[in-house]
């Protein structure tokens, strides 16, 4: 062996003996713990079976069998770790872990996991691709069909989405797929079919205020303003305290009215605030409209409350900065603009174009105060954002989006919908709860976790399995003279479990 090879000092028999002595007991313990640690019963049973098979392979001393058994454990453990990261909204990491799992086993469930992570990471084309691969492997997987439909729907391939949701419904009739199918049919211009589908949807979930709001949102998303308003009106007739119905009704009027905000817009926004004074979107929109009307005192009152409710939204700080700049309160304006830029630095500029105004406002104020270099850099960033937006608009701007902003001018106001749009593949029971707790629409599952939480404990447990299994795989490869592969997998073992 070449003396420069980093694996030249591996001694396979000794390494295997060491691993068997050091890791057999821990892996046996992991196998014993499995049914007590993982909350997913079917996955737990499957992983337990694979760990048992890996133990049998180690006892056989056959490096080929050890390698195969270790790969099967790794495939499932990585997929389970991806599920935890998806629950924690770490979408890129979830997709990466799922892709790593595919190296060891190409399973339709793992493809679905990648597709779901891609949806939440706003990569609908990749979501549809992965889900389509899953349906080819398992045509009876209704979830894969639904997620493929969601990806196609987000990409505005309405015909493809309609077909996918039809396949999903044939396998498993559910309200989520019915609602999505109706939305796709609207996109295809099949209003009558969509209306019939929404009737089925309402029959499943109940003809209630919140469900009418969802139907109204589907019509609103396709620029069908009259139909959307009809649904919001029906929702309020069913329950005058339906959360978000007045807000979305106001936005629908604003989007569909070429003459700008009307008294009815203000009336619905105020009605929303009477139901919930801390409704972020309604406070923001009233502040935005007042700012446009140069009523800065009223605007600040709404915007300051909005900034307390959701301080992470950069557009609120942009408007506060513009108001302060008009009052010649330059230091306050600088502070507000800096907050806007700080909160928007990791966001997609295509979805937060108002940030351009913060760069322009701050840049001009800094130049006026003698900080020419920093000011010019900020103005350059504003021009860069402008070019990005123009390029993106030319490439992707859909007729639907154009309709949504029609008549509102080239500098249409930002409408806060980050938690109000229909998010992909979330349960309608969660939607109902969200509507009842100030969350306007579906949102992805999950949240943070810590080592003291169940997810944290499960992650630690899976990390132990991954470390031990990568170690076993590396040893099996070393015994077969696959030294480069072994070297890489020993590093993976140490990454997951530094105590190995």
């Amino acid at each position: 062996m070449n003396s420069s090879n980093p694996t030249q000092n591996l001694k396979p028999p000794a390494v295997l003996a060491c691993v068997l002595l050091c890791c057999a007991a821990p892996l046996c313990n992991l196998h014993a713990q499995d049914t007590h640690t993982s909350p997913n019963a079917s996955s737990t049973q499957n992983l337990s079976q694979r760990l048992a098979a890996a133990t049998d392979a180690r006892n056989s001393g056959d490096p080929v069998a050890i390698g195969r058994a270790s790969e099967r454990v790794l495939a499932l453990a990585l997929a389970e770790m991806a599920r935890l990261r998806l629950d924690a909204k770490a979408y890129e990491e979830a997709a990466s872990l799922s892709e790593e799992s595919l190296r060891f086993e190409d399973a339709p469930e793992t493809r679905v996991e990648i597709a779901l992570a891609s949806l939440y990471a706003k990569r609908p084309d990749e979501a549809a691709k992965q889900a389509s691969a899953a349906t080819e492997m398992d045509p009876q997987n209704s979830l894969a069909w639904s997620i493929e439909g969601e990806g196609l729907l987000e990409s505005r391939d309405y015909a493809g989405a309609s077909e996918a949701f039809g396949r999903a419904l044939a396998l498993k009739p559910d309200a989520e797929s019915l609602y999505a199918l109706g939305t796709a049919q609207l996109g295809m211009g099949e209003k009558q079919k969509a209306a019939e589908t929404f009737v089925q949807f309402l029959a499943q979930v109940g003809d209630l205020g919140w469900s009418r709001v969802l139907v109204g949102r589907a019509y609103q998303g396709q620029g069908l303003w009259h139909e959307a308003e009809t649904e919001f009106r029906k929702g309020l007739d069913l329950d005058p305290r339906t959360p978000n119905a007045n807000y979305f009704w106001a936005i629908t009027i604003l989007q569909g009215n070429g003459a700008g905000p009307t008294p009815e817009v203000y009336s619905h926004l105020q009605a929303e605030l009477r139901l919930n004074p801390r409704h972020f979107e309604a406070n923001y929109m009233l502040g935005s409209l007042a700012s446009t009307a140069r009523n800065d005192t009223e605007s600040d009152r709404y915007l300051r409350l909005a900034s307390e409710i959701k301080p992470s939204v950069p557009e609120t700080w942009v408007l506060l900065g513009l108001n302060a700049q008009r009052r010649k309160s330059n230091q306050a304006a600088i502070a507000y603009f800096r907050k806007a830029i700080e909160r928007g630095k990791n966001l997609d500029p295509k979805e937060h174009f108002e940030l351009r105004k913060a760069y322009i406002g701050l840049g001009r104020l800094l130049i006026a105060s003698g900080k020419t270099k920093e000011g010019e850099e900020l103005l350059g960033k504003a021009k860069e954002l402008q070019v990005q937006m123009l390029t993106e608009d030319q490439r992707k701007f859909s007729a639907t989006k154009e309709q949504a902003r029609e008549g509102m001018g080239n500098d249409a106001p930002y409408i806060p919908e980050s938690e109000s749009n229909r998010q992909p593949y979330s349960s309608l029971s969660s939607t109902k709860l969200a509507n009842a707790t100030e969350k306007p629409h579906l949102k992805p599952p999950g949240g943070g976790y810590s080592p003291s939480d169940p997810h944290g404990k499960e992650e630690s447990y899976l990390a132990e399995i991954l470390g031990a299994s990568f170690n076993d795989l590396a040893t099996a490869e070393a015994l077969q003279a696959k030294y480069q592969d072994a070297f890489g997998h020993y590093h993976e073992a140490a990454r997951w479990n530094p105590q190995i």
Side-chain angles (χ1 to χ4, degrees):
M1 187 185 300
N2 191 312
S3 60
S4 64
N5 192 315
T7 58
Q8 62 177 326
N9 293 323
L10 284 176
K11 301 183 183 301
V15 171
L16 178 60
C18 179
V19 170
L20 290 176
L21 285 172
C22 297
C23 295
L27 276 173
C28 289
N29 290 338
L30 290 171
H31 174 52
Q33 295 168 6
D34 185 55
T35 57
H36 301 291
T37 307
S38 174
N40 186 321
S42 60
S43 296
T44 297
Q45 183 179 10
N46 200 349
L47 185 57
S48 182
Q49 292 169 351
R50 294 189 183 198
L51 284 168
T55 299
D56 291 342
R58 282 195 307 278
N59 291 338
S60 74
D62 179 357
V64 175
I66 293 171
R68 288 174 179 169
S70 298
E71 287 180 344
R72 296 190 73 240
V73 171
L74 288 167
L76 187 53
L78 286 164
E80 285 297 290
M81 187 69 83
R83 176 181 59 80
L84 294 182
R85 303 312 295 138
L86 183 62
D87 286 348
K89 302 184 183 179
Y91 305 129
E92 298 292 346
E93 190 175 352
S96 177
L97 287 165
S98 296
E99 289 166 0
E100 190 174 357
S101 173
L102 291 178
R103 288 170 39 210
F104 300 108
E105 182 179 52
D106 194 350
E109 296 81 7
T110 307
R111 294 278 182 183
V112 168
E113 199 80 15
I114 298 175
L116 193 53
S118 298
L119 271 183
Y120 289 134
K122 300 182 180 179
R123 296 199 307 270
D125 292 340
E126 179 65 15
K129 173 185 173 183
Q130 294 294 340
S132 178
T135 60
E136 290 178 8
M137 299 167 70
D138 180 10
Q140 302 303 306
N141 191 324
S142 62
L143 177 59
W145 284 111
S146 292
I147 296 177
E148 180 181 356
E150 289 286 0
L152 294 170
L153 190 60
E154 292 293 315
S155 300
R156 300 184 179 86
D157 179 354
Y158 298 117
S162 179
E163 181 180 354
F165 288 124
R167 295 290 296 270
L169 286 165
L171 293 167
K172 181 184 176 184
D174 60 58
E176 291 94 333
S177 294
L178 277 171
Y179 178 75
L181 174 60
T183 303
Q185 289 167 336
L186 287 180
M188 296 168 67
E190 298 178 344
K191 289 173 58 177
Q192 184 56 42
K193 283 187 178 180
E196 293 169 0
T197 301
F198 288 136
V199 168
Q200 297 178 57
F201 163 74
L202 292 170
Q204 281 209 20
V205 302
D207 191 358
L208 304 167
W210 67 268
S211 54
R212 286 287 181 175
V213 169
L214 287 183
V215 176
R217 292 288 286 129
Y219 283 112
Q220 181 195 15
Q222 294 301 320
L224 298 168
W225 317 124
H226 175 72
E227 291 83 352
E229 289 186 53
T230 298
E231 294 300 325
F232 298 141
R233 182 183 295 108
K234 288 180 179 178
L236 288 168
D237 287 343
L238 288 164
D239 179 4
R241 298 188 63 82
T242 298
N244 304 302
N246 276 295
Y247 171 73
F248 286 126
W249 194 342
I251 296 305
T252 299
I253 297 170
L254 187 64
Q255 290 175 325
N257 181 12
T262 65
E264 196 175 3
V265 170
Y266 291 103
S267 175
H268 284 300
L269 291 173
Q270 293 289 357
E272 193 67 59
L273 289 185
R274 284 194 294 273
L275 293 174
N276 176 12
R278 292 183 63 81
H279 191 287
F280 167 76
E281 288 85 354
N283 275 292
Y284 176 89
M285 283 308 302
L286 283 167
S288 175
L289 294 173
S291 179
T292 301
R294 299 299 190 262
N295 189 343
D296 294 343
T297 301
E298 180 179 337
S299 176
D300 282 353
R301 177 164 58 86
Y302 289 116
L303 292 173
R304 283 173 182 151
L305 180 54
S307 70
E308 291 175 12
I309 299 168
K310 290 185 182 178
S312 62
V313 177
E315 285 79 6
T316 310
W317 303 105
V318 173
L319 289 177
L320 284 167
L322 292 173
N323 291 349
Q325 189 176 25
R326 279 196 297 269
R327 293 193 303 269
K328 307 299 182 183
S329 300
N330 291 346
Q331 291 306 310
I334 287 173
Y336 286 136
F337 288 142
R338 288 197 186 279
K339 283 185 178 181
I341 291 169
E342 175 63 26
R343 283 154 177 76
K345 64 182 180 182
N346 295 321
L347 300 178
D348 185 349
K350 296 188 295 295
E351 296 183 1
H352 298 271
F353 190 45
E354 292 288 290
L355 279 171
R356 173 183 57 96
K357 297 177 182 178
Y359 283 103
I360 293 172
L362 181 56
R364 288 175 176 172
L365 288 171
L366 291 178
I367 290 173
S369 67
K371 298 180 179 179
T372 305
K373 182 179 179 182
E374 184 182 0
E376 289 179 346
E377 288 175 353
L378 290 164
L379 292 177
K381 178 65 175 178
K383 290 180 181 178
E384 180 183 324
L385 292 175
Q386 178 81 25
V387 171
Q388 286 181 16
M389 275 305 299
L390 289 173
T391 303
E392 186 68 15
D393 284 353
Q394 292 170 358
R395 188 175 70 87
K396 294 185 67 175
F397 224 64
S398 69
T400 299
K401 289 292 184 182
E402 288 171 357
Q403 275 188 312
R405 298 169 75 97
E406 182 180 350
M408 297 172 68
N410 293 329
D411 199 19
Y414 166 77
I415 297 176
E417 295 185 302
S418 60
E419 290 184 354
S420 303
N421 285 330
R422 192 174 69 83
Q423 296 291 337
Y425 216 78
S426 297
S427 71
L428 288 162
S429 59
S430 297
T431 305
K432 184 176 179 182
L433 177 61
N435 272 306
T437 56
E438 193 182 328
K439 303 297 183 186
H441 203 58
L442 309 183
K443 62 181 293 184
Y449 61 88
S450 68
S452 62
D453 293 331
H455 271 12
K457 292 178 182 178
E458 187 178 7
E459 179 171 311
S460 297
Y461 165 69
L462 288 171
E464 290 184 54
I465 289 179
L466 288 166
S469 298
F470 270 117
N471 203 45
D472 278 2
L473 175 60
T475 298
E477 289 166 337
L479 286 168
Q480 298 171 75
K482 299 176 181 178
Y483 300 120
Q484 199 63 42
D485 290 342
F487 186 73
H489 288 142
Y490 277 129
H491 274 285
E492 285 295 303
R495 180 170 71 90
W496 284 107
N497 186 359
Q499 305 303 317
I500 287 290

